[in-house]
Amino acid sequence: MQKIIITGGAGFIGSHVVRRFVRNYPQYSIINLDKLTYAGNLANLKDIEHEPNYRFVKGDIVDAPFIDQLFATEKPDAVIHLAAESHVDRSITDPIEFVSTNVVGTATLLNAARNYWKGNYDKTRFYHVSTDEVYGSLGETGLFTESTAYDPHSPYSASKASSDHFVRAYHDTYGLDTVISNCSNNYGSFHFPEKLIPLAINNIKQNKPVPVYGKGENIRDWLWVEDHARAIDLIFHQAKAGTTYNIGGHNEWKNIDLIRLLCQILDQKLGRTEGESAKLITFVTDRAGHDLRYAIDATKLKNELGWIPSITFEQGLDKTVDWYLDNQQWLNDVTSGNYQQYYQQQYAKR
Ligand code: NAD
Ligand code: TDX
């Protein structure tokens, strides 16, 4: 029997991790701890919200007394930490919120774990979910490995890099059992439509301009979110204490090529004439400090734990576009802000 607190479980990746653990491990007890910011949406977990091994707790990882109390009352054996401010553009507008949640929030959780688990570090685990953006930007060649030096450029990546350093410091200083994974860009269902792929699908669908930053030359390495969740599951159960794994799909795309592919797919699925959706592509002012290229070397994860992506990008994108076409209500609720009432409707009565 394991009791696991998963933070940020109402967000995009967190909801896939929560669903996977609730479904695959009925013997575990899963607590989803989430503040429900604009990015947290409990409707992402409707299908599992009544499972006996699942519970939602609304709370802020920055609130130390609350977090200490949560450890004392819930007595968790492990934490899988995904809660974060995650959007680079928002970090450029409001960097301090990112320092608070990503740095102070992570340190607050680590400290609660350090105190509560004292004497039991060999039976407990703190898993920190991080990003490839901590490694900075690549030129035209090369890949990020686990030993690439940290070189963050945006307030978002600087805050994630800082949180990774705190996780390692708690392992090296106190002996806490910690694990970190750094993953490339995810895509899939329940992705908030402020990030490139869901924003583009939503705009193409509605015949609205699709904003491409700069010349669209920047390169991202895309991974299907369910493959990320599967990697987290493997690493959580099998990694040695104090280790780091890179997660990525060897799947690099220039933004403009990716958007053109999405336009083609949607032309076909919406019965438009070829080339119609591509007319929506609109080049806009570039992101400040825009990293040119990310690309992950996931060899360690493959060699040590046998993980490789389960589907191709073409398959994953096809599934993702279908999901957005089939879930218009979810998109309407998210874009109108109605999703934020779901918590009130579902939980206020309890
Ligand atoms: P998201 O923005 O969709 O979800 C974040 C969740 O955290 C939301 O449910 C939000 O309500 C919650 N949250 C925010 N602040 C909180 C606080 N103070 N207390 C409690 N909960 C809080 O993010 P995501 O894209 O699902 O990313 C999840 C994690 O994975 C993040 O740590 C991110 O850095 C990392 N990551 C994301 C990607 C990606 O492509 N999206 C890639 C690699 C790593
Ligand atoms: O409208 C847009 N137009 C555009 O050209 C948006 C939203 C983005 N872009 C570009 C910027 C990036 O080069 O597309 C690329 C992807 O942008 P985002 O979806 O905002 O992702 P990115 O900035 O790469 O960061 C993501 O991947 C790593 C996640 O948001 C992070 O949480 C994760 O750590």
Side-chain angles (χ1 to χ4, degrees), residues 86-89 131 133 156 185 194-196 199 211-213 218 220 255 287 290 294:
S86 71
H87 188 36
V88 173
D89 292 322
T131 170
E133 299 198 16
Y156 164 70
N185 286 59
E194 66 180 357
K195 309 278 173 72
L196 182 67
L199 182 140
V212 177
Y213 297 167
N218 304 67
R220 296 293 181 265
N255 291 340
R287 173 184 281 173
H290 199 172
Y294 304 143

Side-chain angles (χ1 to χ4, degrees), residues 7 81-88 98-99 101-103 106 128-135 150 152 154-168 180-183:
T7 73
H81 175 38
L82 296 105
E85 287 294 336
S86 71
H87 188 36
V88 173
F98 284 66
V99 177
T101 297
N102 298 359
V103 185
T106 301
H128 178 60
V129 175
S130 192
T131 170
D132 60 357
E133 299 198 16
V134 299
Y135 298 122
Y150 276 29
S154 72
Y156 164 70
S157 53
S159 69
K160 290 297 290 187
S162 173
S163 66
D164 292 10
H165 290 319
F166 271 99
V167 174
R168 291 204 180 91
I180 301 176
S181 56
N182 297 83
C183 189

Side-chain angles (χ1 to χ4, degrees), residues 34-320:
D34 199 296
K35 184 182 173 183
L36 299 184
T37 67
Y38 80 95
N41 184 355
L42 284 175
N44 296 356
L45 290 165
K46 256 184 188 165
D47 56 328
I48 56 114
E49 70 186 5
H50 298 301
E51 294 299 331
N53 63 338
Y54 169 75
R55 209 143 45 79
F56 173 69
V57 174
K58 188 172 189 295
D60 188 342
I61 56 167
V62 175
D63 181 347
F66 163 77
I67 295 294
D68 288 340
Q69 187 59 39
L70 188 72
F71 270 76
T73 50
E74 298 295 350
K75 305 180 175 42
D77 305 294
V79 170
I80 303 179
H81 175 38
L82 296 105
E85 287 294 336
S86 71
H87 188 36
V88 173
D89 292 322
R90 285 180 188 256
S91 83
I92 295 168
T93 314
D94 185 6
I96 302 305
E97 190 61 30
F98 284 66
V99 177
S100 173
T101 297
N102 298 359
V103 185
V104 180
T106 301
T108 302
L109 283 169
L110 283 165
N111 215 46
R114 169 198 162 208
N115 291 329
Y116 183 73
W117 288 338
K118 202 168 270 170
N120 287 306
Y121 293 164
D122 57 333
K123 298 185 203 70
T124 51
R125 168 149 284 183
F126 190 102
Y127 185 140
H128 178 60
V129 175
S130 192
T131 170
D132 60 357
E133 299 198 16
V134 299
Y135 298 122
S137 182
L138 291 163
E140 280 177 14
T141 58
L143 300 171
F144 297 133
T145 71
E146 288 79 0
S147 56
T148 301
Y150 276 29
D151 182 24
H153 299 293
S154 72
Y156 164 70
S157 53
S159 69
K160 290 297 290 187
S162 173
S163 66
D164 292 10
H165 290 319
F166 271 99
V167 174
R168 291 204 180 91
Y170 270 68
H171 173 262
D172 295 349
T173 308
Y174 306 111
L176 198 68
D177 178 316
T178 62
V179 179
I180 301 176
S181 56
N182 297 83
C183 189
S184 60
N185 286 59
N186 284 215
Y187 70 95
S189 53
F190 302 110
H191 203 183
F192 197 83
E194 66 180 357
K195 309 278 173 72
L196 182 67
I197 289 183
L199 182 140
I201 295 172
N202 190 30
N203 285 17
I204 295 168
K205 212 173 143 184
Q206 294 185 66
N207 264 309
K208 282 166 68 175
V210 181
V212 177
Y213 297 167
K215 294 184 179 146
E217 300 281 310
N218 304 67
I219 294 172
R220 296 293 181 265
D221 181 356
W222 294 95
L223 180 69
W224 189 45
V225 63
E226 294 187 36
D227 277 330
H228 187 190
R230 187 167 50 85
I232 289 173
D233 182 347
L234 261 182
I235 294 167
F236 174 77
H237 287 100
Q238 296 188 26
K240 290 202 187 89
T243 52
T244 292
Y245 286 87
N246 280 354
I247 310 172
H250 285 291
N251 179 41
E252 295 180 49
W253 283 79
K254 261 188 197 168
N255 291 340
I256 187 64
D257 295 340
L258 169 57
I259 298 296
R260 288 203 178 109
L261 176 60
L262 279 174
C263 288
Q264 271 173 24
I265 295 173
L266 278 149
D267 276 348
Q268 278 170 15
K269 292 195 188 274
L270 296 173
R272 294 181 183 168
T273 52
E274 205 183 319
E276 200 181 327
S277 299
K279 291 182 192 150
L280 299 167
I281 293 174
T282 309
F283 293 94
V284 300
T285 309
D286 208 353
R287 173 184 281 173
H290 199 172
D291 286 336
L292 177 67
R293 175 171 167 255
Y294 304 143
I296 279 278
D297 180 350
T299 309
K300 180 180 174 190
L301 183 58
K302 182 180 171 199
N303 288 351
E304 292 187 5
L305 304 185
W307 178 94
I308 51 164
S310 69
I311 58 173
T312 64
F313 190 48
E314 286 68 20
Q315 291 167 328
L317 216 48
D318 197 65
K319 272 177 190 281
T320 303

